[in-house]
Amino acid sequence: MRTIITLIAATAFGAVGAQAATPRINRGAANPADLVVYGCTSAGVTAAVAASDLGKTVTLLCTSDYVGGMTTNGLGWSDTGNHRAIGGMALQFYREIKRWYDQPGAWTASVRPSDATENFVNDGAQWIFEPHVAERIYDDWLRRKGITVVRNERLDRDAGGVTKRGTRIVEIRAENGKRYPGKMFIDATYEGDLMAAAGVSFAVGREANATYGETLNGVQTRNSVKHQFTQDIDPYVVPGQPASGLLPHISAERPGPDGSADRKVQAYMYRLCLTDVAANRAPLPRPDGYDPREFALLGRYLATGVDDVFRKFDRIPNGKTDVNNWGAFSFDAIGMNYAYPTASYTQRDAILTAHRRYQQGVLWYLAHDAAVPPKIRTEMQRWGLCRDEFTRNANWPREIYVREGRRMVSDFVMAEPYLTRAKPTPEPIGMGSYNMDSHNVQRIVDARGFVRNEGNIEVSPGDAYPISYRAIVPKRTQATNLLVPVALSASHIAYGSIRMEPVFMILGESAATAASLAIDGNTSVQDVAYPKLQAALLRRKQILSLEPAPAR
């Protein structure tokens, strides 16, 4: 019997994503595709190209007018971990990056660094790049394959946006009413919107340590020692007077016990591409409604002599940077994103506007406010946005860094014991290696009456680890022709390691390979024979296991 999904399924951590019902115009259906990929992240691109390689017709639906997700939106100093764990199309991408920058004239505004520079080149690959170069490579891949790319096409998340027959998705509907039928579907979004609209269970926030036998999940007050206040800072508007109220960006909420669950989400930010090359520098904007009092905590902290503002202005080619968060008060908008994963599009737009205003406000404050030490003000004034990046978006990144949105909850959940190899991981389809990395989740007043951040964890898993096919496959009772390589089934702290762009490329390619096998075998994604999948992935030069690196 044909079933229309009318709710977004939720686990104890999930939430029903309600949106106001609006009339929809039936604009007809696109030509049926073997595979419909929703989301033009790095995983969406590799999934589409891999499926085309395997002889399948593909429709790639982009929620905006560009492809590549964070890889083309400022994250140009790649979080790669162990380079030996990166294979397949992901390695091909970084090798094409190197070929680009090996061209005469590619380095127009800076000198090529030494090969020994951290995270620069090895194994014929280059790991740092400009956003527009990454986008050019992805666009070229898609163009060469003749893949149908539909831009600015968002999923209708109201009732009826996903049509199912039993546990199989038949088609999905865009906001404009156009329908996209397919045999197989991949949700390649950071948010997990298609997965949720299809009735697949998910989690948002942090599980308790006890849920999956972990040590680094849940509230982490004791372990949050990095990106922490190194000086005792009074949290009140009038120092020493609680009645005056808390300074902006400090929560009055008390955290739960260490290791306990909550629904809070690690902080988001825009990964800024800035430059100090005058010829390419656009002024940093003063945000609408700017009020320096919003950043009084930052000023109070800098007044203690802290000088770490520029620690994560990581150099990428041609006089540019990938600017990440660093320190106790930086570009992470701590506590401003909790509603984002399940919010409506309208609500998300408001959250994004607040984040952009916050981050632009931090930049303006650092460059112009008299409370900022002159040395920092002078340095900040050397920097600006890049005139040749994000040219249709006033040189500001088009996408925020959703470090964590929804996470699928399937029959298998990648968790800390699998990353540390305390438990064996079944059916590997790729590898991760980066630290179990959560940015701060909340900023509170500690028991002594001073400001403290909570949630930052940076712990190595010890070595590269395999990621299971079962983690991208929904429960059989919920969806049998859907794969989820980005918002995959993982605990909060395990996802903190898996969530790196090279890994998403790897998992997107593996998901498409599994979808192709499911189509060829006329079977569900749950019934794809792993030996066949393993063989197909190895033919594509995916890395499924690694011997430990030799001791030095």
Side-chain angles (χ1 to χ4, degrees), residues 249-265:
H249 303 295
I250 302 173
S251 172
E253 189 174 340
R254 304 295 300 171
D258 270 18
S260 64
D262 63 20
R263 286 185 48 81
K264 296 181 172 69
V265 180

Side-chain angles (χ1 to χ4, degrees), residues 248-517:
H249 303 295
I250 302 173
S251 172
E253 189 174 340
R254 304 295 300 171
D258 270 18
S260 64
D262 63 20
R263 286 185 48 81
K264 296 181 172 69
V265 180
Q266 63 174 306
Y268 298 170
M269 66 172 290
Y270 289 93
R271 290 290 282 258
L272 296 178
C273 189
L274 301 184
T275 184
D276 57 356
V277 176
N280 194 34
R281 188 174 60 214
L284 295 172
R286 187 182 195 271
D288 293 340
Y290 170 77
D291 184 345
R293 292 174 297 181
E294 182 180 354
F295 308 104
L297 176 60
L298 174 57
R300 204 172 278 185
Y301 190 47
L302 294 175
T304 67
V306 170
D307 185 10
D308 60 3
V309 170
F310 304 101
R311 282 285 297 277
K312 283 301 286 181
F313 278 48
D314 290 319
R315 285 288 187 177
I316 60 174
N318 290 316
K320 300 176 185 177
T321 64
D322 168 359
V323 178
N324 200 350
N325 181 82
W326 183 272
F329 193 118
S330 182
F331 300 115
D332 276 356
I334 298 172
M336 293 173 59
N337 62 338
Y338 299 158
Y340 181 90
T342 58
S344 69
Y345 293 132
T346 300
Q347 291 165 338
R348 284 180 183 167
D349 286 344
I351 293 168
L352 295 176
T353 297
H355 275 73
R356 184 167 57 252
R357 179 185 171 280
Y358 165 83
Q359 208 160 335
Q360 290 177 350
V362 171
L363 292 166
W364 189 265
Y365 183 84
L366 290 170
H368 297 285
D369 199 277
V372 175
K375 175 185 173 184
I376 294 174
R377 264 186 288 144
T378 300
E379 176 63 15
M380 193 70 250
Q381 289 168 13
R382 293 198 314 108
W383 295 92
L385 302 175
C386 300
R387 293 186 184 277
D388 61 346
E389 300 288 354
F390 320 124
T391 55
R392 297 193 303 274
N393 199 47
N395 311 120
W396 191 263
R398 301 155 296 187
E399 187 161 338
I400 201 167
Y401 193 2
V402 176
R403 291 188 171 99
E404 192 170 6
R406 298 182 185 92
R407 303 184 309 280
M408 180 168 66
V409 178
S410 190
D411 294 321
F412 178 87
V413 178
M414 289 295 298
E416 183 183 332
Y418 296 106
L419 273 62
T420 59
R421 296 179 179 262
K423 290 183 177 180
T425 299
E427 301 181 353
I429 56 169
M431 302 194 78
S433 63
Y434 202 78
N435 285 345
M436 291 178 280
D437 181 31
S438 171
H439 281 236
N440 278 307
V441 175
Q442 56 189 332
R443 181 177 290 130
I444 58 172
V445 180
D446 68 15
R448 300 178 305 123
F450 297 111
V451 187
R452 185 171 176 82
N453 293 334
E454 185 278 318
N456 186 267
I457 296 293
E458 300 174 37
V459 176
S460 172
D463 208 338
Y465 57 85
I467 300 168
S468 177
Y469 175 59
R470 299 179 193 177
I472 70 168
V473 175
K475 294 178 180 178
R476 185 184 297 272
T477 56
Q478 295 178 343
T480 50
N481 64 335
L482 173 68
L483 292 153
V484 186
V486 178
L488 74 163
S489 184
S491 72
H492 156 72
I493 197 59
Y495 193 83
S497 172
I498 295 168
R499 64 177 175 82
M500 305 305 155
E501 291 290 292
V503 178
F504 287 153
M505 287 189 240
I506 290 165
L507 296 180
E509 180 178 4
S510 293
T513 306
S516 178
L517 289 172

